[in-house]
Amino acid sequence: GSDVDLLVVLDRTLPLTRSLYAPWDAGPSTWDGRPVEVHLAHLPAPGQPPSSIWAEVALDGIIVFERGRRLSAALASVRREIADGRFVRRVSQGQPYWVKVA
């Protein structure tokens, strides 16, 4: 019964601006009768810890399309960090978040 989150990963050469959301804002998008919420992002920078969104996508996301294997490789790296206990999920006031563990 919840919405569908769609993560669109853009090349770093394309700045993330509000105008990129305009086509999605023009009208409601649905999939299988559920509202679609679009999120635009760049892959995590090499050597930088992933943000919470990448942990959630690494665990529960489904890749619909990708060019090359950079996204798959990035998600596999996040999953390895989780499996090794270096990136852990916490909950505060019912909201999940992820933290890097030393």
Side-chain angles (χ1 to χ4, degrees):
S2 67
D3 65 357
V4 175
D5 291 307
L6 175 65
L7 178 64
V8 179
V9 182
L10 302 172
D11 188 277
R12 287 201 169 280
T13 60
L14 183 62
L16 296 175
T17 63
R18 183 70 199 134
S19 64
L20 294 175
Y21 286 91
W24 301 97
D25 293 340
S29 297
T30 61
W31 181 76
D32 199 25
R34 296 170 18 192
V36 174
E37 293 294 327
V38 176
H39 309 275
L40 305 176
H42 293 137
L43 283 175
Q48 296 295 314
S51 63
S52 291
I53 192 170
W54 291 106
E56 296 294 333
V57 170
L59 293 179
D60 294 325
I62 299 168
I63 298 174
V64 176
F65 174 80
E66 76 175 306
R67 286 192 180 108
R69 302 242 335 121
R70 289 184 1 195
L71 176 58
S72 292
L75 295 176
S77 176
V78 173
R79 285 191 295 273
R80 281 191 299 277
E81 287 196 57
I82 293 168
D84 291 343
R86 293 188 313 257
F87 203 47
V88 297
R89 190 176 201 226
R90 306 268 199 252
V91 177
S92 176
Q93 299 181 15
Q95 296 300 312
Y97 67 98
W98 290 81
V99 294
K100 185 85 170 173
V101 177

